[in-house]
Amino acid sequence: MIIMVDNYREIKDHLPPTVRIVSISKTQPIKAIQELYDANIKVFGENRVQELVSKYEALPKDIQWHLVGQLQTNKVKFIAPFISLIHSVDSLKLLNEINLQALKYKRVIDCLLQFHIATEETKFGLDREEARSLLLSKEFARLKNVRIKGLMGMATFTDNYKLVRNEFRSLKSTFDDLKMEFFKNDEWFCELSMGMSGDFMIAAEEGSTLVRIGTAIFGNR
Ligand SMILES: *Cc1c(COP(=O)(O)O)cnc(C)c1O
């Protein structure tokens, strides 16, 4: 079990201090998360709402929980009281519902816009024009209980590292452009969530601030 803490520290040692690790604990047992928590590791990510809620209930309340998987609007209410960052916002409709639920709990919920950067059809997310039209909309301007902290993207699952690097580079460039156009003086728009177990070093080199690491910490799922 201690090996997970060693894995985490080894990854951390290889990353620049500007990059934070979100330990992706999906499918992992409570006691594995507790082990990392006991070593003062407190940022975890899950991709399923039900699993996230049951782990939240079972574990210490100062854990920062991130949601990294596709989120259905009818499930926002279950995570709204406690979620620390939602990485996977891909529509105004979803953002509206997050805003509504955040309001109920008198919170402002931090979100990232998820971009489609991979060549695979299946990975969902926005493109630059869709994101711009969302950010330009009157409806978005009325949402006071959500805060867009940055962007998230998943690269193509491939060993073609040149392709992966290009995808990350393009997301960073979109991030810079959107920052200029919409968030110029907003110091909170500063997060770029990219990089997983297989590609986090490339992501870090291309400007990631949050890497989402599962198997490289916990072992195979
Ligand atoms: C599972 C998952 C990860 C972590 O993947 P690993 O390859 O195990 O590091 C990162 N991001 C998302 C969105 C995931 O679903």
Side-chain angles (χ1 to χ4, degrees):
M1 288 291 265
I2 291 298
I3 190 120
M4 297 177 318
V5 176
D6 289 344
N7 290 343
Y8 179 97
R9 289 191 178 140
E10 171 135 3
I11 293 165
K12 193 159 181 59
D13 284 346
H14 284 87
L15 289 168
T18 47
V19 182
R20 287 175 302 133
I21 299 171
V22 183
S23 301
I24 304 298
S25 50
K26 64 190 186 200
T27 76
Q28 304 297 337
I30 300 285
K31 66 177 189 324
I33 302 170
Q34 183 72 48
E35 189 96 19
L36 288 160
Y37 177 88
D38 292 341
N40 212 26
I41 295 160
K42 297 188 176 175
V43 184
F44 293 93
E46 291 281 337
N47 70 337
R48 292 215 162 87
V49 166
Q50 203 177 349
E51 188 173 343
L52 172 57
V53 169
S54 69
K55 285 174 173 171
Y56 165 76
E57 284 167 356
L59 283 153
K61 294 297 169 283
D62 62 336
I63 287 178
Q64 293 169 40
W65 289 104
H66 292 200
L67 186 81
V68 299
Q70 198 158 8
L71 176 59
Q72 291 170 304
T73 47
N74 62 345
K75 294 197 173 156
V76 174
K77 57 178 177 286
F78 300 117
I79 60 168
F82 68 88
I83 196 74
S84 163
L85 182 63
I86 300 174
H87 290 232
S88 43
V89 174
D90 71 335
S91 73
L92 189 53
K93 176 173 171 256
L94 178 58
L95 209 50
N96 251 317
E97 176 64 14
I98 297 168
N99 188 74
L100 195 75
Q101 295 299 329
L103 189 62
K104 264 189 202 162
Y105 294 97
K106 298 189 168 64
R107 299 187 64 206
V108 173
I109 295 182
D110 287 335
C111 298
L112 305 178
L113 297 179
Q114 181 165 353
F115 270 66
H116 183 275
I117 56 170
T119 53
E120 291 112 331
E121 293 280 329
T122 50
K123 287 177 182 158
F124 77 119
L126 302 161
D127 63 29
R128 191 189 284 235
E129 282 320 304
E130 288 166 340
R132 287 188 70 247
S133 75
L134 185 160
L135 295 168
L136 285 166
S137 68
K138 289 203 176 80
E139 215 179 339
F140 174 71
R142 284 195 292 265
L143 306 181
K144 300 302 177 203
N145 292 71
V146 288
R147 186 169 66 164
I148 304 296
K149 288 204 73 178
L151 310 182
M152 183 273 225
M154 284 169 91
T156 304
F157 187 71
T158 172
D159 53 16
N160 178 351
Y161 292 116
K162 214 165 173 173
L163 175 63
V164 170
R165 186 178 293 281
N166 281 335
E167 290 170 353
F168 287 148
R169 191 167 291 179
S170 132
L171 185 60
K172 166 69 163 129
S173 137
T174 303
F175 172 89
D176 290 340
D177 293 347
L178 294 178
K179 169 118 185 128
M180 279 299 259
E181 187 174 357
F182 297 98
F183 302 98
K184 206 162 186 223
N185 300 310
D186 301 335
E187 76 289 345
W188 67 80
F189 188 85
C190 62
E191 300 289 10
L192 192 49
S193 168
M194 54 186 201
M196 308 176 20
S197 293
D199 55 20
F200 66 87
M201 283 309 296
I202 302 171
E205 286 162 11
E206 297 303 330
S208 173
T209 65
L210 286 172
V211 289
R212 310 177 308 272
I213 315 269
T215 49
I217 295 172
F218 292 95
N220 285 329
R221 286 185 288 273

